[in-house]
Amino acid sequence: MKSILLSLIVVACSMGLSAQVLVNGGNEIAKLSKSEHIDKAVMEIIYCHNTVDPILDEERDEYEILQIGNNATKYGDYGSFRLDSTIMTLDSAKITRSEYHKLYFTYQPGSEFVFKYPAQQKLMFRGRVFTDYYIYSETMPAIDWTLSDGETTICGYTCHKATGDFRGRKWTAWYAEEIPMGAGPWKFGGLPGAILKLEDSAREHEFEAVTVRKSNCPIVEEEKNLFTTTREEYNSSLAEYMNNPAGTISGSELAPRNADGSEKKLPKRRRFYNPIEKE
């Protein structure tokens, strides 16, 4: 029971709620972060992202969405998109913390987002390690794709094959020339059409489009206090946390206590984790 409560408290802190909100319901008005509209999507692609953790011998499917605008793209968890879309239909000035808490656990939004600005060749990455949020920027990766023979059909689109290396993994991509936008899931792109399927040679990551649709939804970027970092520092901090969450919680106010007030020692227990970038 204590471990379950601890997990809820960690989640609550990550979404800006206190443990008191979990206990008492939180009838106060929620202080939601403001969002900036950076573009309007003309197309959206929803992917099923299958990840395998070979150490835990587990695999998981997550749905993620790519919003493609004329000036920017955004890639992130589909639950986050659904949460934002729901809040846009409500009066945000009247949403209580309890109501937001229920919405949050309904959609279970993710915390990593990739924004691309093709004209500036700039990429912005936003993510979370434990309860802290980070941001870093880098030049949009230039993947040296090799176009190959081979065709397949995905979501009704004829897709062509390409292969390339990216930060420690060998990838096979399937792109649709009928969608003349060189976009793709996560940080991938740069082909003569949108990437609708992507998998690495170890078959530890696979992205496959399940829906391709036109859109006129805004592409938003949440205004949140973020720590500026680098890609290398973020990946290192995330790996340290995912491999030993107890090490991060230990010494913090979230650490569980014994009856005498002393800190309870938590076992070292690795979380499900297998990064896309290996270097």
Side-chain angles (χ1 to χ4, degrees), residues 139-157:
T139 301
M140 283 178 56
I143 302 172
D144 186 15
W145 293 108
T146 298
L147 306 187
S148 309
D149 293 333
E151 290 185 356
T152 190
T153 301
I154 302 170
C155 291
Y157 292 90

Side-chain angles (χ1 to χ4, degrees), residues 176-197:
E177 293 181 335
E178 296 174 68
I179 308 175
M181 302 171 178
W186 206 58
K187 295 182 180 181
F188 296 93
L191 283 165
I195 298 173
L196 298 188
K197 184 175 180 179

Side-chain angles (χ1 to χ4, degrees), residues 5-6 16 25 31 44 56-57 100-101 112 122 124 131 151 170 172 191 194 213 225 231 240 260-262 278:
L5 179 58
L6 176 61
K31 296 180 180 179
E44 295 168 347
L56 296 181
D57 192 25
Y100 181 72
H101 169 260
E112 291 191 348
K122 183 176 74 171
M124 301 292 293
T131 58
E151 290 185 356
K170 296 182 181 296
T172 298
L191 283 165
R213 65 195 185 195
N225 292 327
R231 179 178 69 86
E240 181 179 355
D260 61 2
S262 61
K278 300 179 70 174

Side-chain angles (χ1 to χ4, degrees), residues 112-158:
E112 291 191 348
F113 303 93
V114 176
F115 296 86
K116 295 179 188 175
Y117 302 89
Q120 294 82 34
Q121 285 296 296
K122 183 176 74 171
L123 180 152
M124 301 292 293
F125 179 94
R126 298 162 61 110
R128 188 183 78 217
V129 179
F130 192 38
T131 58
D132 292 328
Y133 290 83
Y134 296 87
I135 185 170
Y136 67 78
S137 64
E138 61 178 327
T139 301
M140 283 178 56
I143 302 172
D144 186 15
W145 293 108
T146 298
L147 306 187
S148 309
D149 293 333
E151 290 185 356
T152 190
T153 301
I154 302 170
C155 291
Y157 292 90
T158 299

Side-chain angles (χ1 to χ4, degrees), residues 90-111:
L90 305 174
D91 185 346
S92 60
K94 296 181 179 179
I95 300 175
T96 66
R97 298 175 80 179
S98 177
E99 289 169 340
Y100 181 72
H101 169 260
K102 291 177 182 177
L103 288 173
Y104 189 96
F105 277 94
T106 296
Y107 296 118
Q108 299 185 33
S111 58

